[in-house]
Amino acid sequence: MSRSSKKGPYIDERLIKKVLAAKDSGSKAVIKTWSRSCSITPEMVGLTIGVHNGKEHLPVYIQEAMVGHKLGEFSLTRKFRGHGGKMAKEQAKSASAPAAAPAAKPAAKPAAKGGKKK
């Protein structure tokens, strides 16, 4: 559910003070914040803000297209490690193995033993 338009966007006062100080001084240092729910304002454009994801501060360079969004949208909290486990690793190995395949193919394969009888 979105915030009431009557209230206006949520902007952390401490963060906006740091942003204005960095703009005045021309500093390019990363501004650390834990306020993921803070809306991005036009004053923040061109600065790098370190948004906390629960473990570390991820640097987010603020661009014009980000204005109006929340800081937390650009700092992911979960790390994707890939699908599958042992089987996925084996498939990845076999996918890279065809380069080492022999050039000559055998004429015919022998019939499997113990197959179905008709």
Side-chain angles (χ1 to χ4, degrees):
M1 191 153 125
S2 63
R3 185 173 165 92
S4 171
S5 60
K6 181 170 52 173
K7 292 181 183 180
Y10 169 71
I11 301 167
D12 189 17
E13 290 180 28
R14 289 178 286 167
L15 179 61
I16 201 69
K17 284 180 185 177
K18 291 179 184 179
V19 166
L20 294 175
K23 279 280 192 179
D24 291 340
S25 68
S27 174
K28 294 292 181 183
V30 177
I31 302 169
K32 288 186 179 182
T33 185
W34 282 261
S35 182
R36 297 172 54 85
S37 60
C38 179
S39 295
I40 297 175
T41 61
E43 292 84 20
M44 297 178 187
V45 173
L47 295 176
T48 304
I49 299 177
V51 184
H52 199 257
N53 70 350
K55 184 177 180 181
E56 58 190 357
H57 288 89
L58 298 179
V60 176
Y61 180 75
I62 307 297
Q63 299 174 350
E64 284 186 36
M66 297 178 180
V67 173
H69 290 268
K70 304 286 185 181
L71 286 172
E73 294 180 41
F74 304 103
S75 177
L76 301 179
T77 58
R78 294 177 176 93
K79 184 175 182 181
F80 178 71
R81 298 186 186 209
H83 295 291
K86 187 175 182 181
M87 188 173 168
K89 287 180 185 176
E90 290 173 3
Q91 288 176 351
K93 264 188 191 176
S94 64
S96 63
K105 294 183 180 179
K109 293 184 179 179
K113 293 183 182 177
K116 287 186 179 180
K117 295 181 181 179
K118 291 184 181 181

